[in-house]
Amino acid sequence: MNSPTRRRVAEDKSWVLAPLLELPHVIHAAVISGDGFIEGASPGLSREAGEGVAAMMSALQGAARAVTAAFAEKDDTRLRQTVIESDEGFVFAIPAGENTCLAVFADPEVNMGVVAHHMQIQVTTLGSKVMNSPARDLGNPA
């Protein structure tokens, strides 16, 4: 008998988004795992939209890394930021630790530099919080 595949349960990281959502013109924000799952989302983002954003952002981050590595002709190129501009506004995405990214959606009037700066602050805050958290006992023998 096969056991069902178990998806990891991530800690809700929505707390890291609050300062970003207070910035002028920021509409939504999310913490997204590299495998396309939401680890935290702004309160107004529907579950369906969040899941779609997570799946697409995961693919986009992978594509951005691949195209950068191809242009640079270096396989070990690190991605720092991805920005998408549309008629609806901007999407910002930055790596936020191991296999995670922070994404923000803002309207066209947003100050891009302010958002990018505050995203970096929140990534640092997220990293500090995760690194200072005690390890969870998963109940598995070592």
Side-chain angles (χ1 to χ4, degrees):
M1 182 168 139
N2 292 338
S3 62
T5 303
R6 298 183 77 190
R7 184 174 73 115
R8 65 182 174 84
V9 177
E11 173 191 350
D12 183 8
K13 297 182 176 99
S14 297
W15 58 268
V16 79
L17 305 174
L20 298 170
L21 295 168
E22 293 173 1
L23 296 173
H25 306 289
V26 169
I27 300 167
H28 290 297
V31 179
I32 300 165
S33 71
D35 51 0
F37 294 105
I38 287 282
E39 294 185 349
S42 53
L45 188 64
S46 73
R47 180 181 176 145
E48 182 180 345
E51 289 174 354
V53 165
M56 290 178 275
M57 187 55 68
S58 176
L60 179 65
Q61 290 292 92
R65 274 190 294 279
V67 76
T68 302
F71 268 130
E73 297 183 23
K74 294 181 180 179
D75 290 336
D76 62 346
T77 302
R78 288 184 358 176
L79 191 61
R80 291 188 191 172
Q81 176 176 280
T82 304
V83 179
I84 302 167
E85 181 180 5
S86 73
D87 291 344
E88 302 302 318
F90 294 91
V91 175
F92 304 85
I94 61 172
E98 188 66 33
N99 201 30
T100 304
C101 92
L102 180 60
V104 169
F105 176 60
D107 71 30
E109 287 76 38
V110 73
N111 182 322
M112 295 172 66
V114 168
V115 171
H117 174 73
H118 283 277
M119 288 177 75
Q120 289 296 337
I121 291 170
Q122 291 312 107
V123 165
T124 301
T125 301
L126 179 62
S128 296
K129 169 85 170 158
V130 171
M131 295 304 291
N132 291 327
S133 297
R136 292 193 320 227
D137 179 6
L138 300 177
N140 297 332

PDB file of all heavy atoms in Angstrom, residues 2 64 69 109 120:
ATOM      1  N   ASN A   2       0.588   2.153  -0.877  1.00  0.00           N
ATOM      2  CA  ASN A   2       1.353   3.390  -0.960  1.00  0.00           C
ATOM      3  C   ASN A   2       0.814   4.396   0.043  1.00  0.00           C
ATOM      4  O   ASN A   2      -0.382   4.539   0.202  1.00  0.00           O
ATOM      5  CB  ASN A   2       1.255   4.001  -2.365  1.00  0.00           C
ATOM      6  CG  ASN A   2       1.958   3.151  -3.395  1.00  0.00           C
ATOM      7  OD1 ASN A   2       2.834   2.371  -3.059  1.00  0.00           O
ATOM      8  ND2 ASN A   2       1.559   3.301  -4.643  1.00  0.00           N
ATOM      9  N   ALA A  64      13.523  33.475 -14.413  1.00  0.00           N
ATOM     10  CA  ALA A  64      14.402  34.648 -14.265  1.00  0.00           C
ATOM     11  C   ALA A  64      15.833  34.216 -13.950  1.00  0.00           C
ATOM     12  O   ALA A  64      16.797  34.764 -14.510  1.00  0.00           O
ATOM     13  CB  ALA A  64      13.869  35.575 -13.174  1.00  0.00           C
ATOM     14  N   ALA A  69      21.291  33.533 -15.936  1.00  0.00           N
ATOM     15  CA  ALA A  69      22.463  32.663 -16.056  1.00  0.00           C
ATOM     16  C   ALA A  69      22.870  32.497 -17.521  1.00  0.00           C
ATOM     17  O   ALA A  69      24.063  32.502 -17.846  1.00  0.00           O
ATOM     18  CB  ALA A  69      22.172  31.303 -15.425  1.00  0.00           C
ATOM     19  N   GLU A 109       1.525  54.223  -9.339  1.00  0.00           N
ATOM     20  CA  GLU A 109       2.080  55.424  -8.712  1.00  0.00           C
ATOM     21  C   GLU A 109       3.101  55.120  -7.609  1.00  0.00           C
ATOM     22  O   GLU A 109       3.643  56.032  -6.992  1.00  0.00           O
ATOM     23  CB  GLU A 109       0.961  56.296  -8.125  1.00  0.00           C
ATOM     24  CG  GLU A 109       0.133  57.021  -9.177  1.00  0.00           C
ATOM     25  CD  GLU A 109      -0.854  56.112  -9.892  1.00  0.00           C
ATOM     26  OE1 GLU A 109      -1.438  55.228  -9.230  1.00  0.00           O
ATOM     27  OE2 GLU A 109      -1.018  56.266 -11.110  1.00  0.00           O
ATOM     28  N   GLN A 120      13.673  44.552   1.330  1.00  0.00           N
ATOM     29  CA  GLN A 120      14.954  44.056   1.844  1.00  0.00           C
ATOM     30  C   GLN A 120      14.967  44.037   3.374  1.00  0.00           C
ATOM     31  O   GLN A 120      15.467  43.095   3.978  1.00  0.00           O
ATOM     32  CB  GLN A 120      16.113  44.908   1.309  1.00  0.00           C
ATOM     33  CG  GLN A 120      16.390  44.724  -0.149  1.00  0.00           C
ATOM     34  CD  GLN A 120      16.849  43.318  -0.502  1.00  0.00           C
ATOM     35  OE1 GLN A 120      17.366  42.567   0.327  1.00  0.00           O
ATOM     36  NE2 GLN A 120      16.639  42.946  -1.738  1.00  0.00           N
TER      37      GLN A 120
END
